Amino acid sequence: MTTVPKTRVGVVGCAGRMGRMLIVSIAESPRAVLAGATERAGHPALGQDPGILAGCAETGSRIVEDPNILFDEADVVIDFTAPAATAGHAAMAAKTGTPLVIGTTGLEGTHEAAIDAAAQSVPILQAANMSLGVNILLGVTQQLATLLDEAYDIEIVEMHHRHKADAPSGTALALGRAAAAGRGLEMAEAAVFSREGPTGPRPEGAIGFATLRGGDVAGDHTVIFAGAGERIELTHRASSRDVFAKGAVHGALWLVGRPPGRYTMRDVLGLATA
Ligand code: NAD
């Protein structure tokens, strides 16, 4: 019986909440092995064994600051860091020809442009949420927004842990884009991100967002379609970050060998429609 070589997966930002979960998910995967791990300059985890840091078996490697060697040696790299770091990693992926999985949220135009440029030469998988449930919710939200006209007001409510750096969450924005697509709108025209003081009545067709922060919530999202006399509420609750890490590792294994371009988790899960 021939043994299939394991895919070497690199993790940048490995000491973060998601980074540690990724190390564990790679260790648990029968098809993946950790190629190496990085952290930002000055991080106290530099020099430690990433396996020990994440609470699983020793790997024999050390967490390093320079991602160049990691991108050279890995078959695919997973990045859940911060927007500016992710833009730099995308450029590095293009230089070394290494597929890249991006889970970082809060990306702005310049960061997305760096990813677009890299995706000309390497496959890049990017998703604000790597869970199966949320990716199904995206499709259902678009479908309901198509079925229910503007007599049904769309509101999106999300809650995350107290450390989250961006708001609304990347997943809430993705749900907003799905709802806008279902209505044939651009999200930028429809979105209302905050309300305070004498706001007046709700504009027809608006897609409203509300953000809650607290405790250790891994990620809750509800899409509300509120009509006169009834409403539909679709809720997804992640009870562990494990679901995002497992999704990212599954996505990384799927991405290796794909043609250059941008992919989403809906492509990985075979849910991509329009
Ligand atoms: P975190 O702050 O715990 O971890 C980020 C890590 O990246 C830190 O350890 C930090 O030191 C490191 N880092 C920053 N710059 C770096 C650089 N230049 N090189 C190497 N490492 C660097 O945050 P987190 O909760 O793990 O979340 C990280 C990102 O992932 C956020 O944008 C978050 O919104 C997103 N996220 C996405 C999903 C998803 O399913 N796509 C799920 C959870 C979190």
Side-chain angles (χ1 to χ4, degrees):
M1 203 172 80
T2 53
T3 44
V4 181
K6 290 187 176 191
T7 301
R8 290 164 303 153
V9 184
V11 177
V12 286
C14 69
R17 279 174 288 269
M18 282 304 302
R20 291 170 199 236
M21 298 298 296
L22 288 164
I23 305 281
V24 175
S25 291
I26 292 165
E28 286 174 356
S29 167
R31 292 171 52 210
V33 63
L34 187 69
T38 72
E39 250 305 335
R40 64 170 167 73
H43 196 286
L46 288 172
Q48 291 183 36
D49 184 300
I52 304 290
L53 178 84
C56 48
E58 204 169 339
T59 64
S61 66
R62 292 283 171 260
I63 300 168
V64 296
E65 180 190 326
D66 181 1
N68 278 289
I69 301 166
L70 177 64
F71 274 84
D72 260 341
E73 289 185 354
D75 296 321
V76 56
V77 170
I78 306 182
D79 179 343
F80 283 66
T81 58
T86 295
H89 290 140
M92 207 168 287
K95 201 175 75 182
T96 55
T98 315
L100 179 65
V101 175
I102 298 174
T104 309
T105 63
L107 302 172
E108 292 180 356
T110 53
H111 311 124
E112 292 289 352
I115 297 168
D116 280 339
Q120 301 288 320
S121 53
V122 280
I124 297 192
L125 165 63
Q126 183 185 14
N129 194 304
M130 302 278 176
S131 85
L132 173 63
V134 157
N135 284 283
I136 287 174
L137 180 61
L138 286 168
V140 174
T141 297
Q142 180 166 348
Q143 207 180 348
L144 271 190
T146 308
L147 290 172
L148 301 170
D149 67 14
E150 296 191 350
Y152 288 79
D153 299 323
I154 301 176
E155 294 282 311
I156 297 169
V157 184
E158 59 105 339
M159 180 162 186
H160 282 83
H161 56 91
R162 59 168 71 104
H163 303 288
K164 186 158 176 62
D166 51 315
S169 69
T171 303
L173 294 172
L175 288 165
R177 281 193 295 275
R183 289 259 165 101
L185 297 171
E186 283 300 322
M187 201 187 36
E189 297 162 16
V192 174
F193 289 118
S194 64
R195 299 182 178 111
E196 189 186 19
T199 58
R202 186 184 198 286
E204 196 182 65
I207 298 176
F209 291 82
T211 297
L212 312 181
R213 291 286 174 267
D216 61 354
V217 178
D220 290 355
H221 293 88
T222 298
V223 184
I224 303 166
F225 293 82
E230 64 172 357
R231 67 180 184 273
I232 298 175
E233 300 185 356
L234 305 171
T235 295
H236 177 272
R237 295 188 205 282
S239 47
S240 162
R241 286 188 186 86
D242 194 36
V243 74
F244 309 130
K246 284 208 163 68
V249 173
H250 178 65
L253 296 172
W254 178 91
L255 193 63
V256 174
R258 303 269 159 194
R262 292 187 69 144
Y263 299 90
T264 71
M265 209 53 200
R266 293 179 57 73
D267 296 310
V268 178
L269 297 168
L271 300 170
T273 46

